[in-house]
Amino acid sequence: MGVNIMVLINTFIIVIGLYVSCMNWLIFINNDILKNKSSSYGLFIGGILLFVGISNLPDPYNQYAYSGFLIDFGCIPWLLVGLGFKIIKYLKK
């Protein structure tokens, strides 16, 4: 019975992490693609919540805990896009 409660808690954490991740993607689309202005990114929050929630799940699900940092735009994708923009800006000079 204790395992079921932990799975429910971790599922709740994952749902919150997915919500934050979706909001980060929508903010990116709104700011950079549609060129509107909105609030800033919640950097790493969604990825950390996803990592914690997935890593505490029972085997074999917890083997992919790192995927939370790839799903959330405020983590690794944001760093890659930012680095890409810096490289392009440097090469244009």
Side-chain angles (χ1 to χ4, degrees), residues 8 11-12 18 26 38 42 50-51 76 86-87:
L8 286 174
T11 303
F12 182 70
L18 285 172
L26 290 175
S38 62
L50 287 170
F51 178 79
I76 294 173
K86 292 288 185 184
I87 290 172

Side-chain angles (χ1 to χ4, degrees), residues 3-4 6-8 10-11 53-63:
V3 174
N4 293 334
M6 286 305 295
V7 170
L8 286 174
N10 290 322
T11 303
I54 295 170
S55 65
N56 289 322
L57 288 175
D59 285 330
Y61 308 109
N62 61 2
Q63 296 175 3

Side-chain angles (χ1 to χ4, degrees), residues 57-74:
L57 288 175
D59 285 330
Y61 308 109
N62 61 2
Q63 296 175 3
Y64 302 104
Y66 63 88
S67 64
F69 294 113
L70 296 173
I71 293 170
D72 184 22
F73 187 80

Side-chain angles (χ1 to χ4, degrees), residues 10-93:
N10 290 322
T11 303
F12 182 70
I13 292 171
I14 291 169
V15 168
I16 293 172
L18 285 172
Y19 176 76
V20 173
S21 298
C22 288
M23 291 300 109
N24 282 339
W25 277 101
L26 290 175
I27 290 170
F28 166 71
I29 290 169
N30 191 37
N31 286 350
D32 296 329
I33 296 175
L34 299 176
K35 303 296 183 191
N36 296 329
K37 293 296 176 192
S38 62
S39 60
S40 63
Y41 301 104
L43 296 177
F44 298 107
I45 294 171
I48 291 170
L49 288 173
L50 287 170
F51 178 79
V52 168
I54 295 170
S55 65
N56 289 322
L57 288 175
D59 285 330
Y61 308 109
N62 61 2
Q63 296 175 3
Y64 302 104
Y66 63 88
S67 64
F69 294 113
L70 296 173
I71 293 170
D72 184 22
F73 187 80
C75 293
I76 294 173
W78 182 76
L79 295 174
L80 293 176
V81 168
L83 183 62
F85 281 135
K86 292 288 185 184
I87 290 172
I88 291 169
K89 192 177 194 181
Y90 177 75
L91 292 175
K92 283 186 177 181
K93 287 184 178 182

